[in-house]
Amino acid sequence: MINKEYQSFYVAIVEQSLHISYFGSKDGKSDYQKKYLMPESFDDNLNLIILTKFISEKVKDFEKDV
């Protein structure tokens, strides 16, 4: 029997924070999750360069932990 491992990552922006979750099995329970506050430099205008850099840095940080 072949045991295939199920893995998934989810990224969500909720209000003023970025949420990243890792699921290592199909049971629906998160194996690891982290929440990052969004930088204040956004003000009320969406700046895609800042957002892209922020998400990229946080995903790298999250990958180190997982």
Side-chain angles (χ1 to χ4, degrees):
M1 178 182 260
I2 298 173
N3 184 7
K4 291 186 178 181
E5 190 172 331
Y6 175 86
Q7 297 180 351
S8 61
F9 290 88
Y10 290 91
V11 177
I13 297 174
V14 180
E15 294 180 0
Q16 293 298 318
S17 59
L18 173 72
H19 298 258
I20 305 175
S21 299
Y22 165 71
F23 296 86
S25 63
K26 291 186 178 182
D27 64 4
K29 295 181 182 174
S30 174
D31 291 328
Y32 191 78
Q33 56 186 334
K34 212 164 182 182
K35 177 181 166 182
Y36 302 94
L37 292 177
M38 298 294 266
E40 301 249 347
S41 56
F42 282 137
D43 295 327
D44 287 327
N45 299 321
L46 180 60
N47 185 327
L48 293 180
I49 294 171
I50 294 172
L51 180 59
T52 301
K53 183 177 177 183
F54 175 76
I55 292 173
S56 177
E57 289 172 358
K58 298 311 174 195
V59 167
K60 287 176 186 175
D61 177 65
F62 186 83
E63 287 174 340
K64 289 177 189 175
D65 292 342
V66 172

